[in-house]
Structures are given as C-alpha cells and as structure tokens.
C-alpha cells in the first residue's frame, strides 16, 4: 500500500491527499484541504487517500437540466420555510443521484482506489468548499459513508456525497449563513478505512468556556460514529499544561464496528469493559500535545477527529472551532480581563471596521477590538485592592452579572496578582470631574468598565458637590448645541484629505464636550441621588425602588421626549385617512416627496420632517456609525408611527407626561409626610426633599450626552459618505458602503492614494458576517474564557427567569419577541421581549405594557426610559428571547426582578 500521487491519476478529477495544498479549498473542499495539510505535518498521521475534486462535481452539475432555474428558486426561499426547502432541495438531490457518472470519471476514481488497495474498506466523505471554514464549519451538514468496500461501491457513494450538498439541512445552513448555492462546490475525500480501538474528538480550546489554555478530549471505544451520533456518552478529559485536571469516565454501553464485507454495525460492549476508560492517561496527554501541534500549524483552535490504532493516533479531520469568541490582541503575554462595551452601550451586535475605529477615536478610554466588538481592559483596576472594590461596587449597581463574572475571576487568586494601590496613588476625591471617569464614549456610569475613577465617583453624594439649579443643565445643553452647530457649519467646507485633518480636530472637541467636568458632575449627582433615595427610603420606610416613581416625567430627558414626540406626529396624521392609507403601503425611502400630493399630506410631511430634524440621526445600534439613520431610512419609523395612529388617543403625549409628573409629585408628598412622622423625621424629610429635587433637576440630562454623540456622528457620516461617493466616481471602490469595511485611517489613506485593496474589503465583509453569528461575553479573559456571571439569588420561584429589577410594578400579558424595530407588531397590553434596547427603541415603549431584555443595567437607556414611562421592566434576563416563545403569556415582576412564563 502506498500514498497516491497526482501524477499517477489519469485526469484532473482525482488528486492524492498528500499533494493538496492549504489554499486549494476551491478544488478539494475544506475537509480535503485540511487533510492535505495535516498529512504533511511532522508527527501527524493521516490515513492514506485521495480527493475527487470539485471539477468532477461541476461536470455532473452541468449535466442537470434547468439547474440554474432550480437554484434560483431555491435561493429565493426563506430559511424558515422548511417544507419548501425540503421539496426543492430533494428535486436537485434526486437529479444528481440519477445522472450517470461519465466513464472517464468513474475510471479515474476506480483507478485511484485500485492504486491504494482495491479490496480494502474506505471512508467516503463529503468535502464542500463552504465547510471547515473559519467563519462556518458546516459540521455534519453533508454525508459520510464508512467502510465502503470495492471500487464500484466507492463510485456510488461519491455520487451520494455530491447529492448531499443539497440535503435539507445543508441548504438551510447555507441560507442562514448567507452562502450562495452557486458558489459552493463539492469534493469527496476517499481514505483507507481505519478500524480503531478507540476514537473521538479533541478540542484544543474548551468548547464551552472558550479557554484557549484548556484542551477537551472526548473518547469512546470503536468507531467515532458512536460518539458523533450520540449513541454513547464519551469519556471526557480536561487537559491543561500537560496535566489532566478533570476526568469523567462514562459507562459505555454500545459501540460501532466495521464489518468485513463492508458497512458498519452497532453492538454491545462487553460488561467488564463498559466502565473502563477508552484511553490511558498517558494517551490523553499525548493526544492533547498532538492537538497543540496541529493548532499551532493552523494558527487557531481546532476541532479534531482522531482514531487510536494500537498505540498510534491517526487524524481523520481537523476544522476550526467557529463558535469561540476571538480574544483581544495584547502587547504582552500577561493575563488580562476585558469588559464588553457593547453590554454597557446596549448594542452587542457586531460592528463594521469603520464603526469600531470611529468609536475608538471618539471614546474617553482606550479600547480593544475582538469579534467585531469593543472591550475595555480592566486588569490594572482589578489588581489594585482599592480600585477593585470601587469597580466591583459600581459594576454591581449597574449589572450584577458583570460584577459576578469579575468576582469569579478574582476568586482564582493566581490569575490577577495584586498590584499597586492606584487610588492611593491618586487620592483626589473629585474624580467625577476627570475625563477618564468614562468608558465607551459617554460620560455616564452606564459605561462602567472604565476604571477606578468612575467607580470611585459613586462612593457618596459628597463626592460631587453641585448646586441643584436647572440653569446648570440649560447651560450645558446650550453649549452642546453651539458646538454641534459650529461642527455642522465647518464640516460642509471640508473635502478630501482636508476633511480627515478637520475630523481629527473635531474628535478632540467631541471628547472635550463629553469630558466636561460639569457635565459629569450633573450626571453623577442625578445618579447618586437616585441611589440615595432607593437606599434610604428602603431603610426608613420599607419602600422598594421609590426613585422609580419619583423620576416619572423628569424634565429635559431628550430620549423620553423623542418617544412622546412621535405620538404628536401620529396626532397630525390620524385625521388624514388618505395619508394613513398611503403610509401603510410605502416601500420607497423617498415617500416624503409624495406626501404633498395627498389631502393633508403637506401637514403630515411637515410633522415628520420636524421629527426627523430633531431625531433623524438616531437608529438601532446607533453607536456604529455605519448603521442607517432614520433620516436615511425614514420607513423604519412607519410601523411604530402607524401603530400610534391606530392605538393612541389624541393628545396622548401631553396627557402621559402630565400623569407622570403628577404621580411623581404625589409620591414625593407621600414619602415626605411619612418621613416626618419618624424619629428625627424633619431631618430625614429635609434630606429626602433635597435628593428628590436633585433627581428631578438632573436625571433627565443623563440622556443628553448620548444625543450629543449621535448628533455629531451623523454629521461625520454625511461628510464621510460624500467622500465615499467621490471614490466610487473615481472607480476606487465599487459602492460607497465599501468604506464601512475600512478603518478611519485606511479610509484616509484611500482618499490620499486613490487605492483600496478590494480583497481586504471582501475579507472584512466575510469576517463581519461570521462575527454577527457570535454571542459576545460580558467579560472575557486573555485565555479566551467567556465569563457571563450568574445571579446568586434564592428569592425567586422555581422556573422563573431571573433578571435585574430596574423599575417597579407587575404586569401580565402576551410576550412579543421583537428583534427588528421595523417589524414591530403590537397589540395593547403586549410585553416587549428583546435582546437589548438603545434610545431608538423609545418610540415603541409607549405602545407596550412591560419590557424584558437580555442585556441591561440600572442606568442603561432602556431602564431609564422604562422608569420615566412607568413601564414595569426586568433587564439582564439571560436568553430571554429563546426561553420565552412569541405569543406566550408571561408575568413580569419588575419590583422583584424576575419573569414567570404562565402555563396556560
């Protein structure tokens, strides 16, 4: 027996595995290319074999009648239309199986089998060009046939592998991952069958936690098919630094063996062997070391299928582990702890490179990028005992899951050694006046990952001495408006490289406004007063979350005003039935130009335009400058606007605001009256009155800095898109959105040199698509371990979904899972359940009875607006959008922080 070489084959349809290069995935498919590489790594044994290339598959496809039409019809199907996908894919699959294999192609396959050993058994395995990729593994989507005996049988199974490219599961997987069916080819790997004593899977990183320093070995007796198919529970070993640190030896009842005449059979394991380990400890450690060698060659963690024959390991497959979240790059090899900015900014979606770099350039603290998301390194803050306590305190107030995740890491005393006391070195108590008291771009404790300065600022109200004067807020807003007006005026005159020079200066002004010491004092004063009221009224009166009512309809909250303002627009439109009918059928973003042609259309257009002039810079995921703004896609607002037209009563906005204001005033009088009846009641009432005044004066401003940021971002974006259009006209890029996949610096270079690497843009697009499928962790270590934290509570009913209480009240209703604001479909009394909300979701809040989100904290936008509107809300409910089914009845216990799914 010998390895087949390409020169020994008769056509281009068959290539020996040893001759396949790493870049030949388009010919050999992902599996074939990886096996070819593996076969040339020193110390790695791969069963001998060959690959039937994609040229053979494409020749077969060319024989199919009407294949282009069939692929067109298949591509138009929705990924969730399972019945249609099943029917259309079956048509193509059966057509492939019915096409005769041409004689010369069959002869090439038979000749390759005979060159190895025509009487041996073979594994015939699909190897699609869109599998075992860094972005998507496609594991288990295509067919494999084991112990195929005889050259003719091998040819038959090769054809079935071709057909499996159009199995229902493979087609659905491609549809969901945005892979064009026409671009995918199918090669087939044919290898000498290995009859192992044991087999299994090796992950060179922990597939659950993501820890790159840990290997996980799964092992069972016989063929690995028993493990992959779920027939047996495997032995599981955890290996770290060359030692087994955990093991579970399973009771293995069944195994799969190869039959002499071909095929496989399931059989029982002898009773005396069932409890025995499939591998010795020495073999486990050797296998883990082999995995590290393979990982080092491919440059990323691997999912490896292995077989043990005697005492030798043979590798039958290695693919990247695509579910791991990438680790931020560091300048050293020390341990690091990173906190997600997206979880603080209520935008955990992947961002494009331009959006990431713009946020980094305008944020108030250094950030690192991983998986299309932003992270802040808090290692030094955790190493310092004083700053550690302050950081954990502010994290706990905002998001208990982040705090618990950090505490979990700190419990491992060897991960972060104690360092110098940072706060002792900088004892200045007026920390809230320093620009570095923020992270993520907005000077609020919502973005709490920024370090000890922000954390120290919450130690007590005395840390931010400031008069309770509405004129302070008015002055800050006026200065912001003047700065933005100057930016709007000056940026219009800038083009080319001059624009980028101007923007560098504009970013400095951007950060100056955000870091205004007075602005941060105002924000901290409002937050501290809120905490004071909740803490002390809870202690003195037994009131839970009293500040929720006391902050209703707080003046000057630009985000809550935005939600109510859309109700006012609905009032204008409601009285014009032809306008309403027209808006129901709108699909064109230029619909505003058509409105004046209708009775009442001019008035309707004026109202919508006025709303867009004030709020059109906002959108879902607005911290990413590449996201389309409402001004760019006004149709996004129409579902919510039309819902208001249908459901709301005239004057609802003013009425809701006044009801909230009166409720807050009545609550204030109530608590003050009760306090005065307590021992030392006058003093307590006086302090409470001061804090109530402070909350009413300053809480609304907390939303303004984000409004300032997004207003500036829209002006930056308009100028940058104008440059992108010039690059399109100069044929430097194909479309304006190509620049979204460049960093700010690369965009500048493109304008300067009139050159863009099209391959870079294409790769960045593919990376972005793969990042979209990843779930970012709240906390990530430099080992790659994702730590999300848990709620450590025993005061909730069994089966309830635990979260963070951010407002008061209890509400029961129908759950509506809404992931796209533009597809909102709500009825009165519905409860909105979504992943996260940023200010752009506010118009929807006035149409629902309650709110449940997967991400959030006490002072994030959704929580603030929920309290402002008196909306019962629980945030930070892990996996809420999957554990709750759309249409289910649920009960939101906002005061206690949990959600019940009602079984009726």
């Amino acid at each position: 027996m010998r390895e087949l070489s390409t020169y020994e084959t008769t056509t281009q349809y068959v290539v020996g595995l040893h001759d396949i290069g790493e870049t030949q995935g388009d010919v050999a498919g992902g599996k074939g290319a990886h096996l070819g590489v593996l076969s040339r790594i020193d110390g790695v044994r791969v069963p001998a074999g060959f690959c039937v290339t994609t040229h053979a598959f494409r020749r077969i496809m060319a024989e199919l009648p009407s294949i282009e039409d069939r692929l067109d019809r298949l591509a138009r199907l929705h990924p969730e239309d399972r019945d249609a996908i099943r029917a259309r894919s079956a048509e193509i699959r059966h057509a492939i199986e019915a096409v005769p294999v041409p004689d010369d192609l069959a002869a090439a396959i038979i000749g390759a089998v005979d060159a190895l050993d025509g009487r041996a058994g073979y594994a015939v395995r699909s190897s699609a060009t869109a599998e075992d990729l860094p972005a998507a593994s496609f594991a288990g989507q295509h067919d494999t046939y084991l112990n195929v005996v005889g050259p003719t049988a091998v040819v038959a199974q090769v054809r079935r592998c071709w057909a499996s490219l159009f199995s229902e599961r493979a087609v659905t997987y491609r549809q969901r991952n945005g892979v064009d069916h026409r671009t995918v080819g199918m090669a087939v790997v044919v290898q000498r069958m290995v009859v192992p004593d044991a087999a299994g899977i090796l992950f060179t990183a922990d597939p659950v936690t993501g820890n790159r320093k840990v290997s996980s070995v799964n092992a069972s007796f016989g063929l690995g098919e028993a493990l992959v198919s779920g027939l047996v529970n495997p032995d599981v070993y955890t290996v770290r630094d060359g030692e087994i640190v955990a093991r579970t030896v399973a009771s293995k009842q069944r195994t799969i063996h190869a039959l002499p005449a071909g095929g496989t059979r399931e059989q029982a394991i002898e009773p005396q062997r069932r409890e025995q380990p499939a591998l010795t400890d020495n073999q486990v450690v050797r296998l883990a070391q082999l995995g590290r060698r393979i990982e080092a060659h491919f440059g990323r963690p691997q999912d490896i299928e292995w077989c043990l024959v005697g005492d030798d390991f043979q590798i039958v497959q290695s693919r990247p582990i695509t579910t791991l979240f990438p680790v931020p790059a560091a300048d050293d090899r020390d341990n690091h702890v990173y906190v997600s900015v997206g979880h603080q900014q209520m935008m955990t979606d992947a961002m494009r490179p331009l959006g990431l770099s713009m946020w980094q350039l305008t944020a108030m603290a250094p950030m690192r990028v991983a998986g299309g998301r932003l992270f802040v390194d808090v290692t030094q803050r955790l190493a310092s005992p004083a700053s550690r306590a302050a950081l954990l305190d502010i994290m706990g107030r905002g998001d208990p899951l982040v705090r618990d995740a950090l505490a979990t890491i700190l419990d491992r005393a060897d991960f972060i050694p104690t360092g110098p006391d940072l706060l002792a070195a900088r004892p200045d108590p007026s920390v809230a006046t320093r620009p570095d008291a923020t992270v993520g771009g907005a000077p609020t404790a919502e973005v709490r990952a920024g370090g000890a300065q922000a954390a120290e600022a919450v130690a007590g109200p005395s840390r931010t001495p400031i008069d309770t004067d509405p004129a302070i807020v008015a002055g800050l807003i006026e200065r912001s408006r003047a700065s933005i007006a100057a930016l709007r005026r000056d940026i219009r005159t800038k083009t080319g490289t001059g624009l980028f020079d101007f923007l560098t200066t504009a970013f400095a002004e951007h950060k100056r406004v955000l870091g205004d010491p007075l602005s941060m004092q105002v924000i901290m004063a409002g937050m501290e007063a809120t905490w004071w009221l909740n803490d002390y009224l809870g202690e003195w009166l037994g009131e839970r979350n009293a500040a929720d009512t006391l902050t209703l309809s707080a003046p000057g909250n630009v985000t809550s005003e935005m939600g109510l303002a859309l109700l006012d627009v609905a009032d204008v439109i409601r009285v014009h039935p032809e306008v309403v009918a027209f808006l129901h059928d709108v699909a064109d973003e230029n619909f505003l130009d058509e409105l004046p042609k209708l009775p009442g259309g001019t008035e309707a257009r004026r109202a919508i335009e006025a709303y867009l002039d004030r709020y059109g810079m906002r959108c879902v995921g607005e911290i990413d400058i590449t996201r389309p703004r409402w001004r760019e896609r006004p149709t996004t607002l129409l579902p919510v606007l039309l819902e208001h037209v249908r459901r709301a009563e005239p004057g609802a906005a003013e009425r809701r605001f006044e009801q909230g204001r009166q409720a807050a005033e009545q609550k204030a009088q109530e608590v003050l009256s009760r306090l005065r009846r307590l021992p030392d009641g006058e003093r307590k009432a006086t302090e409470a009155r001061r804090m109530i005044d402070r909350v009413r004066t300053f809480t609304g401003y907390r939303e303004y800095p984000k409004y300032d940021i997004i207003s500036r971002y829209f002006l930056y974006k308009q100028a940058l898109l104008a440059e992108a259009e010039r690059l399109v006209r100069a044929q430097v890029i194909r479309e304006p959105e190509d620049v979204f996949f460049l960093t700010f610096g690369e965009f500048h270079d493109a304008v300067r040199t009139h050159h863009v690497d099209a391959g870079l843009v294409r790769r960045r697009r593919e990376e972005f698509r793969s990042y979209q499928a990843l779930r970012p962790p709240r906390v990530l270590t430099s080992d790659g371990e994702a730590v999300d934290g848990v709620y450590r509570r025993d005061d909730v009913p069994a089966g309830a979904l635990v979260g963070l209480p951010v407002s008061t009240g209890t509400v029961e209703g129908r759950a509506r899972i809404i992931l796209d604001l533009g597809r909102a479909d709500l009825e009165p009394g519905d409860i909105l359940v979504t992943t996260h909300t940023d200010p752009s979701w506010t118009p929807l809040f006035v149409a629902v009875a309650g709110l449940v989100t997967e991400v959030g904290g006490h002072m994030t936008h959704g929580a603030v607006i929920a309290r402002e509107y008196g909306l019962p809300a629980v945030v930070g409910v892990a996996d809420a959008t999957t554990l709750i089914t759309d249409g289910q009845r649920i009960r939101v216990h906002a005061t206690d922080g949990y959600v019940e799914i009602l079984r009726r």
Side-chain angles (χ1 to χ4, degrees):
M1 184 187 72
R2 52 197 168 82
E3 180 70 46
L4 182 75
S5 295
T6 304
Y7 67 82
E8 295 179 278
T9 65
T10 56
T11 73
Q12 61 178 338
Y13 298 128
V14 175
V15 180
L17 281 183
H18 201 72
D19 293 329
I20 298 173
E22 192 166 0
T23 61
Q24 291 182 277
D26 58 334
V27 172
K31 186 184 286 99
H34 279 200
L35 286 169
V37 173
L38 285 166
S39 70
R40 295 193 298 277
I41 301 175
D42 288 342
V44 177
R45 296 193 60 190
V46 175
F50 60 90
C51 182
V52 181
T53 68
T54 56
H55 298 303
F57 168 77
R58 297 195 189 284
R59 178 175 173 183
I60 292 296
M61 290 293 287
E63 299 291 327
L64 298 183
S66 308
I67 186 59
E68 290 299 323
D69 289 341
R70 294 182 181 187
L71 291 176
D72 277 341
R73 292 195 297 270
L74 188 62
R76 287 195 293 267
L77 298 177
H78 191 277
E80 302 307 319
D81 191 350
R82 302 296 296 274
D83 291 340
I85 287 178
R86 184 180 301 114
R88 291 281 164 80
S89 59
E91 287 179 11
I92 299 174
R93 192 168 63 252
H94 295 153
I96 294 172
E97 291 176 346
V99 171
V101 179
D103 290 344
D104 60 328
L105 176 52
I109 298 171
I110 291 170
V113 172
D114 286 337
L116 289 172
D117 185 345
R119 294 171 299 177
Y122 288 87
V124 182
R125 311 166 70 198
S126 301
S127 179
T129 56
E131 73 176 31
D132 293 354
L133 302 176
S137 74
F138 282 78
Q141 303 304 315
H142 309 115
D143 288 353
T144 288
Y145 300 95
L146 299 179
N147 201 30
V148 180
V149 177
T152 303
V154 169
V155 173
Q157 302 299 44
V158 165
R159 180 163 53 187
R160 294 181 68 182
C161 285
W162 288 332
S164 75
L165 187 68
F166 293 96
S167 68
E168 178 189 348
R169 61 182 182 272
V171 168
T172 301
Y173 194 91
R174 287 198 296 273
Q175 301 270 78
R176 289 175 176 167
N177 283 273
V179 178
D180 186 344
H181 302 300
R182 288 183 181 78
T183 65
V184 183
M186 177 65 83
V188 182
V189 172
V190 180
Q191 289 178 282
R192 277 292 302 262
M193 185 69 188
V194 175
V195 182
D197 300 304
I201 300 170
L202 163 66
F203 298 98
T204 65
D206 190 311
V208 177
T209 69
N211 194 322
R212 271 46 164 199
K213 291 187 177 180
V214 170
S215 295
S216 179
V217 175
N218 288 213
S220 186
F221 293 121
L223 291 170
E225 185 66 17
L227 190 157
V228 173
S229 64
L231 180 65
V232 298
N233 292 322
D235 299 340
V236 179
Y237 300 87
T238 301
V239 182
R240 181 173 184 139
D241 298 329
E243 294 184 6
I244 298 174
V245 296
R247 63 161 55 78
T248 301
V249 177
S251 176
K252 298 170 284 294
Q253 305 290 321
R254 312 289 293 175
T255 187
I256 294 178
H257 279 288
L259 298 174
T264 61
R265 183 178 67 189
E266 176 188 330
Q267 66 182 51
I269 297 175
E270 300 89 337
Q272 63 272 22
R273 293 186 65 213
R274 291 175 183 175
E275 307 295 333
Q276 294 179 4
L279 298 176
T280 67
D281 285 2
N282 178 266
Q283 289 170 337
V284 170
V285 172
R286 279 199 294 119
L287 179 59
Q289 291 170 341
L290 181 61
R292 290 293 177 213
R293 188 178 304 164
I294 295 170
E295 177 188 69
H297 186 89
F298 286 112
R300 60 181 298 160
Q302 297 289 300
D303 168 356
I304 299 167
E305 294 182 22
W306 56 269
C307 295
L308 180 69
V309 181
D311 195 38
D312 288 333
F313 287 104
Q314 296 202 34
I315 305 302
V316 295
Q317 188 165 340
S318 183
R319 63 169 72 92
I321 306 176
T322 59
T323 56
L324 298 178
F325 198 87
V327 181
D331 301 326
D332 54 46
R333 299 178 67 84
D334 295 339
N335 290 339
H336 291 268
V337 179
Y338 306 99
V339 172
S340 165
V341 172
H343 283 81
Q344 313 302 323
Q345 285 292 339
M346 297 301 96
M347 215 294 278
T348 58
D349 297 344
M351 296 171 64
R352 296 170 181 84
L354 184 61
L356 292 165
S357 64
M358 288 290 288
W359 195 259
Q360 287 177 295
L361 289 167
T362 54
M364 301 296 291
M367 296 183 186
R368 297 185 183 275
V369 174
R373 277 81 170 185
L374 294 164
F375 292 85
V376 172
D377 189 340
V378 297
T379 311
Q380 289 188 346
R381 305 299 175 191
L382 290 175
S384 165
S387 63
R388 175 192 308 158
L391 182 64
L392 290 176
D393 177 64
I394 197 168
M395 291 289 180
R397 287 181 179 271
D399 186 341
L401 294 179
V402 173
R403 187 196 190 286
D404 185 79
L406 294 175
T408 298
I409 295 170
L410 287 170
D411 286 342
R412 306 165 189 166
D414 60 338
F415 192 81
I416 302 178
T418 299
D421 192 335
L422 297 179
L423 292 185
R426 291 190 289 179
D428 177 9
S430 59
V431 290
T433 68
R434 288 203 293 265
D436 58 350
T438 71
V439 164
T444 74
E446 164 202 358
V447 198
R448 274 170 278 285
Q453 291 83 8
E456 189 185 12
V458 304
S462 63
R463 294 298 182 96
T464 53
I466 186 173
D467 293 333
T468 304
D469 183 357
I472 296 174
V473 172
L476 287 169
I477 292 174
E478 182 53 38
R479 289 204 292 274
S480 169
R481 288 174 176 168
S483 177
I484 292 172
L487 173 64
R488 181 180 295 107
R489 180 192 66 235
D490 295 341
I491 202 170
R492 290 172 180 167
T493 65
K494 311 300 179 184
T495 59
T497 58
L499 170 65
F500 290 85
D501 294 338
F502 170 80
L503 285 174
T504 301
T505 303
F507 296 162
E509 168 67 3
H510 181 126
K511 291 196 279 190
R512 185 197 67 76
V513 172
L514 290 180
D516 185 325
L518 183 59
S519 175
M520 288 197 281
Q521 281 184 294
V522 166
I523 291 168
M524 290 308 303
M527 292 172 63
E528 290 162 0
T530 299
W531 295 333
W532 190 97
L533 287 166
N534 282 336
D535 290 346
Y536 283 95
L537 295 184
E539 177 185 340
W540 293 337
L541 300 177
E543 286 273 356
R544 298 188 62 181
N545 301 321
D548 292 357
T549 304
L550 295 169
T551 55
L552 290 173
S553 298
N557 187 318
V558 68
T559 305
S560 63
E561 290 170 356
M562 176 175 67
L564 297 177
L566 197 62
L567 286 170
D568 290 334
V569 177
D571 285 352
V572 174
I573 292 171
R574 187 180 294 107
V575 296
H576 302 297
E578 291 186 51
V579 170
V580 173
F582 170 77
L583 293 179
H584 271 290
D585 296 327
V586 160
D588 188 344
E589 297 296 347
N590 297 316
F591 70 91
L592 290 171
D593 295 336
E594 301 298 315
L595 279 176
K597 301 175 184 178
L598 302 171
T602 299
E603 186 180 0
R605 175 177 175 170
R606 190 180 302 120
I608 296 173
E609 286 280 7
Y611 187 87
L612 292 174
D613 287 344
R614 179 130 171 87
Y615 305 111
M617 78 294 290
R618 313 218 80 151
C619 68
V620 173
E622 61 191 9
I623 70 169
D624 183 353
I625 199 171
T626 70
R627 291 287 191 103
R629 311 284 137 172
W630 289 345
R631 170 57 80 179
E632 296 168 326
R633 291 188 186 173
T635 56
T636 305
L637 285 170
L638 291 183
V640 181
L641 176 59
L642 290 170
E643 188 68 20
H644 291 344
V645 168
R646 186 163 64 106
R647 299 290 182 190
E649 295 292 329
E654 183 178 356
R655 190 163 51 252
R656 288 183 66 132
F657 184 84
E658 181 58 22
Q659 288 171 349
R661 189 195 64 77
Q662 290 181 12
E665 181 56 32
Q666 290 171 4
K667 186 66 175 180
Q669 296 306 318
E670 175 203 330
V671 298
L672 292 174
S673 176
R674 291 170 62 193
L675 286 172
R676 290 189 182 101
R677 294 195 292 269
L678 298 177
D680 198 19
E682 283 300 327
R683 179 187 63 79
K684 292 174 180 176
T686 299
E687 290 182 8
R689 178 76 264 179
R690 181 166 65 89
M691 290 301 171
I692 291 171
D693 290 345
R694 180 164 287 209
V695 162
R696 301 292 298 174
T697 301
F698 293 142
T699 293
Y701 177 74
R702 175 249 176 274
E703 290 291 301
Y704 201 85
K706 185 70 170 288
Y707 178 79
D708 180 291
I709 292 171
I710 303 307
S711 297
R712 294 174 190 275
Y713 262 41
F714 189 46
L715 296 175
Y716 302 155
K717 182 179 184 180
Q718 288 176 307
L720 290 171
L721 279 179
E723 285 305 312
E725 293 283 2
R726 294 185 184 95
L727 291 178
V728 171
R729 291 195 293 272
Q731 299 184 336
V732 177
I733 56 177
R734 296 182 61 182
E735 55 187 18
E737 289 75 16
D738 283 352
V739 301
F740 293 166
F741 297 93
L742 304 176
T743 66
F744 180 81
E746 291 166 347
F747 192 175
H748 188 182
D749 289 342
V751 170
R752 180 173 51 82
T753 65
H754 268 216
H755 174 75
V756 170
D757 182 350
L760 174 66
V761 172
R762 183 177 62 255
R763 290 192 299 275
R764 293 265 180 84
R765 285 184 186 274
E766 292 170 355
E767 286 177 353
F768 174 70
R769 185 164 53 241
S770 70
Y771 293 154
Q772 286 178 302
L774 296 177
R775 176 180 174 270
R778 283 176 165 83
V779 175
L780 183 67
T781 74
S782 50
D783 287 351
E785 183 178 6
V787 189
D788 275 317
V790 296
Y791 292 105
R792 302 186 186 277
R793 296 174 53 187
D794 55 8
D795 59 341
V796 298
L801 307 181
V802 184
L804 183 66
V806 295
S807 62
T808 55
T810 300
V811 64
E812 180 180 321
R814 180 180 66 158
R816 295 312 312 268
I817 311 297
I818 297 177
L819 304 179
D820 182 350
L821 182 64
R823 296 183 178 181
D825 180 16
L826 296 163
E827 299 289 338
D830 282 350
I831 297 170
L832 170 62
V833 181
T834 189
T835 52
H836 48 73
T837 62
D838 60 13
S840 69
W841 286 76
T842 302
L844 204 61
F845 282 19
V846 300
V848 297
L851 172 68
V852 178
T853 68
E854 294 182 345
V855 176
H858 278 293
M859 296 308 296
T860 48
H861 298 279
V864 170
I865 304 306
R867 290 193 292 270
E868 179 89 5
Y869 287 171
L871 194 67
V874 179
V875 303
V877 180
D879 301 319
T881 59
T882 54
L883 295 175
I884 299 172
T885 303
D886 188 55
Q888 274 186 320
R889 298 283 301 177
I890 63 174
R891 184 179 297 125
V892 178
H893 296 263
T895 305
D896 297 310
Y898 65 90
V899 179
E900 287 184 287
I901 299 176
L902 304 179
R903 310 293 181 184
R904 68 171 187 267

